[in-house]
């Protein structure tokens, strides 16, 4: 266990950020799954709408440091390819 006040503060802050980041990561995964489900169903209209929301969430997560920027771009690129192929 930490002995310095600053180290204890850091532990608390890290725990709070971990919870927030985990929630954000889970949220992004949910939106990505919605896009994939729409693509598998063959519904281009709902897939396009879901992709728009997923892209926004993914880039916000990348901006906040939850995902790497390149990972977000790669995921969005792959999803948009799947949507375009419908």
């Amino acid at each position: 266990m930490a002995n310095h006040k600053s180290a204890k503060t850091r532990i608390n802050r890290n725990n709070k950020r971990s919870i927030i980041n985990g929630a954000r990561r889970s949220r992004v995964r949910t939106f990505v799954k919605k896009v994939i489900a729409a693509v598998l169903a063959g519904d281009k209209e709902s897939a396009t709408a879901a992709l728009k929301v997923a892209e926004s969430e993914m880039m916000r997560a990348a901006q906040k440091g939850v995902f790497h920027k390149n990972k977000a771009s790669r995921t969005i690129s792959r999803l948009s390819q799947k949507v375009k192929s419908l």
Side-chain angles (χ1 to χ4, degrees), residues 2-3 5 11-12 14-16 22 25-26 29-30 39 42 44-45 58 61-63 72 77-78 82-83 86:
N3 292 321
K5 186 178 189 315
I11 288 169
N12 289 335
N14 288 344
N15 289 338
K16 286 177 189 173
R25 189 177 299 117
S26 174
R29 286 182 185 146
T30 301
V39 168
K44 186 166 184 167
E45 221 173 87
M58 192 70 148
Q63 217 172 18
S77 174
R78 289 178 181 169
K82 287 178 182 175
V83 171
L86 288 177

Side-chain angles (χ1 to χ4, degrees), residues 16 20 26 30-31 50-51 63 70 73:
K16 286 177 189 173
I20 292 167
S26 174
T30 301
F31 284 115
L51 176 65
Q63 217 172 18
N70 291 354
S73 296

Side-chain angles (χ1 to χ4, degrees):
M1 184 63 196
N3 292 321
H4 295 283
K5 186 178 189 315
S6 61
K8 289 178 184 177
T9 304
R10 209 65 182 135
I11 288 169
N12 289 335
R13 188 179 300 160
N14 288 344
N15 289 338
K16 286 177 189 173
R17 292 309 308 172
S18 176
I19 291 167
I20 292 167
N21 288 343
R24 187 168 276 130
R25 189 177 299 117
S26 174
R27 183 176 161 87
V28 167
R29 286 182 185 146
T30 301
F31 284 115
V32 169
K33 284 178 190 173
K34 285 180 181 178
V35 175
I36 293 170
V39 168
L40 291 176
D43 188 3
K44 186 166 184 167
E45 221 173 87
S46 66
T48 307
L51 176 65
K52 188 175 180 183
V53 176
E55 182 178 359
S56 164
E57 286 295 326
M58 192 70 148
M59 291 318 279
R60 186 177 295 131
Q63 217 172 18
K64 301 284 186 182
V66 178
F67 293 112
H68 194 277
K69 188 174 68 95
N70 291 354
K71 177 187 167 52
S73 296
R74 182 176 64 241
T75 306
I76 291 165
S77 174
R78 289 178 181 169
L79 287 174
S80 60
Q81 277 179 337
K82 287 178 182 175
V83 171
K84 283 180 186 175
S85 71
L86 288 177

